[in-house]
Amino acid sequence: MRARLSGVGLALCLLSAACFGAMGVFGKLAYAAGVGPEALLALRFLLAALLLAGVLALRPGLRSGGPGPRRPLGRRLLLTALALGAVGYATQATLYFTALERIDASLVALVLYTYPALVTLAAVLLGRDRLTPARAAALLVASGGTLLVLLGAGGVRFDGTGVALAFGAAVTYTCYILVADTVVHRLAPVVLSALVMAGAAVALTGRAIAGGGLDLGFGPAGWLWVGCIAVVSTVVAMLAFFAGLRRTGPSTAAILSTAEPLVTAALAAVTLGESLTPVQLAGGLLVLASVVVVQLRPRRRTALPAEAPAAAVS
């Protein structure tokens, strides 16, 4: 029975990584179908918030994270969760999808995936964790891999501003995770995720309206790719991850989540004709290896903030 459940957990974690990894490709296809970045961002979080609200309505047990008593949702906790979405996640998503307009999806994914090392480094500097020899080695490996990704551009479309935006998304996601770590143990995961999505939806929709309104004049193909981002790469990815996490534990889930940028690179090569140079590929593998090293011997079992892959846990 345990083996069967473990197999289900592995499959769910890999499904989550594949869904998250497809987001960059869906974003590129949405842009090609005429969807603007403002509409894409606002619709992604609006649809995700509505879907998660529906999930919570159909499955009331998820409001408490399990069969136990429900956790009280005070005003301060509610505002904090909404602010995580309105400020942290909205900013991260804006930087990510703006970077997608300038550079290849595979390169965005590899640069973004420096965030696990950044989370580890920040946790050490803040005194939340200690710097073990393995973690120090992982940080050095991640730094070297990132350097190879940036210097090995070759014939790949490379734009310094786009790379800076992608790295800004990694830094913002790091800050989001560290702040979310202060509230993630006080709310059920799906409830926190729904609140984060709602906060981001309000912020991004309000910004789009203030900037002249949402342009929804794109065709059915645009709606298809926006729907894929909201349903597949947000709601399904997140729910599959939480379900897999419960069966495998954080360490295994963290290692499996390293498949995410590999999925992005593979899908981008097949659907968009993108490719990485051998030097960039080697650098990307070093970055992913650093995530595995950091997570092989976790010091404590911890819950995860909304939509954060397991590698984010420091």
Side-chain angles (χ1 to χ4, degrees):
M1 180 68 173
R2 180 177 297 180
R4 184 178 69 84
L5 290 178
S6 177
V8 172
L10 293 175
L12 287 168
C13 288
L14 289 174
L15 172 63
S16 173
C19 291
F20 277 128
M23 183 165 59
V25 175
F26 289 152
K28 286 281 191 182
L29 293 172
Y31 287 154
V35 182
E38 295 83 5
L40 188 154
L41 287 166
L43 290 173
R44 175 200 177 187
F45 290 109
L46 279 171
L47 293 173
L50 291 173
L51 287 170
L52 287 171
V55 170
L56 289 171
L58 294 174
R59 297 287 302 277
L62 294 175
R63 301 174 193 175
S64 60
R70 296 181 183 178
R71 301 178 180 94
L73 181 60
R75 180 179 179 183
R76 182 175 180 179
L77 190 57
L78 173 64
L79 293 176
T80 300
L82 291 173
L84 277 171
V87 178
Y89 214 86
T91 302
Q92 187 272 345
T94 299
L95 292 170
Y96 176 89
F97 282 100
T98 305
L100 272 182
E101 292 184 282
R102 306 182 68 97
I103 59 177
D104 289 346
S106 52
L107 184 56
V108 173
L110 288 178
V111 174
L112 176 66
Y113 224 72
T114 59
Y115 79 84
L118 295 177
V119 170
T120 300
L121 179 60
V124 170
L125 294 176
L126 292 172
R128 298 188 187 181
D129 215 332
R130 66 186 185 90
L131 187 62
T132 63
R135 286 173 178 164
L139 291 173
L140 290 175
V141 170
S143 299
T146 302
L147 187 62
L148 288 178
V149 169
L150 299 180
L151 296 181
V156 177
R157 186 163 67 91
F158 187 85
D159 181 276
T161 302
V163 170
L165 289 166
F167 187 70
V171 172
T172 305
Y173 203 32
T174 298
C175 297
Y176 161 81
I177 290 168
L178 292 172
V179 174
D181 186 54
T182 64
V183 300
V184 71
H185 301 287
R186 300 158 60 190
L187 278 175
V190 181
V191 173
L192 177 58
S193 300
L195 291 173
V196 168
M197 296 298 114
V202 171
L204 291 168
T205 303
R207 187 180 70 184
I209 293 175
L214 285 175
D215 182 7
L216 303 179
F218 47 88
W223 284 104
L224 171 64
W225 300 124
V226 169
C228 286
I229 292 173
V231 177
V232 177
S233 296
T234 304
V235 176
V236 173
M238 184 201 65
L239 295 179
F241 177 77
F242 283 134
L245 176 67
R246 292 180 60 185
R247 291 169 170 84
T248 65
S251 180
T252 300
I255 295 171
L256 292 173
S257 73
T258 60
E260 180 183 330
L262 299 180
V263 169
T264 303
L267 288 177
V270 172
T271 62
L272 304 175
E274 297 180 5
S275 62
L276 296 170
T277 66
V279 174
Q280 285 186 311
L281 182 59
L285 292 176
L286 285 176
V287 171
L288 301 184
S290 72
V291 176
V292 175
V293 171
V294 166
Q295 294 295 332
L296 277 177
R297 297 180 65 85
R299 294 190 58 81
R300 62 187 177 91
R301 187 180 181 92
T302 180
L304 296 177
E307 204 179 336
V313 180
S314 57

